[in-house]
Every structure is written in C-alpha cells, then in structure tokens.
Amino acid sequence: MSVSFMNNHRKGFLLTTVGGLALSFDVPLVRLGQGEMWSIIAFRSITTFAVGLALWIALRFFGRARPALVSGKAGLLAGLCYGLSTVTFLSAVFHTATANVVFIVAFTPMFAALLGWILLKERPSPATLITMLVMVVGVALIVSGGLASGHLIGDLLAALTALALACAITIGHATRIEMGLVPLLATIFPAAVGFTFMSSGGFQIEAPLWVIFDGAVMIPLAFWCLATGPKYLTGPEVGMFYLLETILAPVWVWIVFREVPSLETLAGGAILVLALVGYSIVQMQRMDKIRTLAVPKGL
C-alpha cells in the first residue's frame, strides 16, 4: 500500500469526520434558536444560501473550476429535491423527537438503492436487499412509537426527507453532473417557502445567533467535507461518517434539552445503525477485493 494512498485515506478520514460531527449539531442548534417553525426554516435557509452564493462567486472569480449556478434541468430538479428535504427535515424537528428524525432519515441510502433499482435498473446486491429489509423493521418500530405518542406526522415528514434526499442522490448518480454546491444553493427554495408562511410579524426567533451559526458555518462545513470525502474514500466508508449525526444528534439533544428517546425509538435506531454498519463493512470488504484484483501481479 503506497504512502500516497495512506495520506489520501487519512485526509478523507479527517474530512468526513469533521463533516459528520458538524452535521450532528444541526438539530441542537436549530432547537437552541427557540423560534417559530417557518421563521427558523426561512432564516436558516437564507443564511445557508448566502454562504453558498458567496462560495460560487469566489469559485467563479478565483478558482480553476467554474461551476454553473444551475447545472441544467437535472441540477434544478435535484435542487428542488434538496429544497424539499430541508423543509420536511426542519418541520419534522418541530413535530417529533430528534432521535426519531435522525434515525428515520438514516434510511436515505436504502431509498436511493430502491430508486436506482426501479428507475436506473441497477439491481441491488443481496447484502443491500437484506439490509433494506432489516431497516424497514427498524423504521416500523420507530413509527409505531410515533403512533402511540401522537408524533406520526413528524415521523412521516422524516421519511419524506429521506425519500427527497434519495431522489436528489439518484439524479446526481444518473447524470454524473457536478452538484457540490447544489444543496447549498437549493436552500433558496425552503427560504421562499418559509418567508411565504411566516407570520406578518417577521422573524420570531429568540436566539437567532444559534441559527445563523448553523446556517452560515456548520451546514456549509458539513456539506463541503462530506461532498469532498468521496475523492479519497469509498462510498461505503463515507456513508459510515453520515452515521455520526444519527448517533450523536440524540446525544447532544439529551445533554442540552434532557429529551429521552422512547424505547421503540432506541430499539429501532439500534437496528438501523447496526444494519448500516454491517452493510458498510461488507461493502468495504468488497471494494478491497476489487482493488486487490485490479492491481497487476508482480507490483
């Protein structure tokens, strides 16, 4: 194994660790803002959009690569999916427990595999199919807890978030278009929705600095690190670091707000996390075998 490969792997490990950690603070920061739902959606989204637009301008004037503001019809469609996911995700935070949201959104890669099978005729591997079935059991457990506690709407919004993100991922995979800035610039859509439904009294946020910090720093940092990670790591390896939000966000919320997940949520979340970890390990082993076979003998 070359020194260059090891250095790149460490770089990818560091980037994706930072990205996963930054993403895990999203929900706690939103809740610390203590605001009305549509005000939070509008304020957090317009802040992220401003940062994304500034990055695009900087890349256009100072970078070698000059990304388009909108990557054609595919980029616009993916942006709409990302925008919808922001609205449903933040709405879910206001309608169900944090653990429910992040555990259900963890179903995103399995939705993506299912859409790839239906739309792109990419048949999932047996490992993927088994993982999907196990994760359905986990999500069903969490949703059953939502039924009992009256949080069904929030759980369904979290599931819609996972589906919208999977649609955006599928579009990017099918078109192979560069979409690194799309999730940031797409926040103009949820910002418009938030401003539309916001009360006539303007922003109703008691601690806006938390929301500004989230939208201007943590979200762009998370998206950039996690989008850059695949340059140095395999897809399954990067997917492992998305689990940091799934695992850590409920911990931060428990520490700050003393919100204890229900037994159904904990059981379903444990099933989801273990299924994803097991799937990622299997995929990493498969990629190692492919790399080994691709290396010419005698080198």
Side-chain angles (χ1 to χ4, degrees):
M1 194 174 290
S2 67
V3 174
S4 176
F5 174 82
M6 289 297 294
N7 288 337
N8 283 339
H9 197 272
R10 290 193 188 99
K11 189 184 297 183
F13 182 87
L14 178 61
L15 280 170
T16 47
T17 299
V18 171
L21 282 172
L23 197 60
S24 74
F25 288 102
D26 182 24
V27 175
L29 288 170
V30 164
R31 292 189 55 177
L32 281 169
Q34 301 178 52
E36 179 263 336
M37 185 180 77
W38 295 115
S39 296
I40 291 285
I41 290 174
F43 198 46
R44 191 261 219 175
S45 299
I46 200 65
T47 303
T48 302
F49 173 74
V51 172
L53 188 61
L55 286 173
W56 176 75
I57 292 172
L59 288 172
R60 292 285 293 179
F61 281 92
F62 304 110
R64 293 182 180 179
R66 297 189 172 184
L69 183 62
V70 179
S71 304
K73 292 181 180 179
L76 182 61
L77 186 57
L80 286 171
C81 292
Y82 280 121
L84 174 62
S85 73
T86 297
V87 174
T88 53
F89 178 80
L90 292 176
S91 298
V93 170
F94 283 85
H95 288 92
T96 191
T98 298
N100 289 38
V101 177
V102 295
F103 285 145
I104 293 174
V105 172
F107 200 73
T108 298
M110 295 301 107
F111 268 141
L114 191 61
L115 288 173
W117 188 6
I118 295 171
L119 301 177
L120 306 179
K121 310 303 179 185
E122 296 178 346
R123 184 177 177 83
S125 66
T128 301
L129 290 172
I130 292 169
T131 305
M132 287 171 66
L133 290 173
V134 173
M135 292 183 73
V136 166
V137 174
V139 171
L141 262 175
I142 295 171
V143 173
S144 70
L147 278 170
S149 58
H151 294 157
L152 179 61
I153 294 296
D155 291 350
L156 292 176
L157 285 167
L160 185 56
T161 301
L163 181 59
L165 287 172
C167 288
I169 291 169
T170 303
I171 293 167
H173 178 60
T175 59
R176 306 291 181 178
I177 294 173
E178 174 59 47
M179 294 192 183
L181 290 176
V182 170
L184 299 180
L185 296 173
T187 51
I188 191 63
F189 299 124
V193 172
F195 281 115
T196 299
F197 291 100
M198 195 169 60
S199 67
S200 57
F203 289 117
Q204 296 179 18
I205 305 173
E206 291 186 24
L209 287 179
W210 291 115
V211 183
I212 292 174
F213 181 65
D214 186 37
V217 179
M218 301 305 278
I219 294 300
L221 176 64
F223 283 170
W224 183 81
C225 288
L226 290 169
T228 307
K231 291 174 63 176
Y232 308 106
L233 301 176
T234 64
E237 287 175 316
V238 174
M240 293 281 283
F241 291 92
Y242 274 94
L243 287 178
L244 285 174
E245 182 191 26
T246 305
I247 296 167
L248 293 177
V251 175
W252 306 145
V253 170
W254 173 71
I255 292 172
V256 177
F257 301 102
R258 299 301 179 193
E259 181 182 284
V260 181
S262 67
L263 290 176
E264 292 90 350
T265 296
L266 290 173
I271 290 172
L272 288 170
V273 170
L274 290 173
L276 284 171
V277 168
Y279 175 74
S280 297
I281 290 172
V282 169
Q283 291 296 95
M284 283 187 281
Q285 290 174 341
R286 188 174 70 86
M287 293 300 293
D288 285 340
K289 286 182 181 179
I290 292 173
R291 272 199 296 260
T292 300
L293 292 173
V295 176
K297 293 181 180 179
L299 295 182

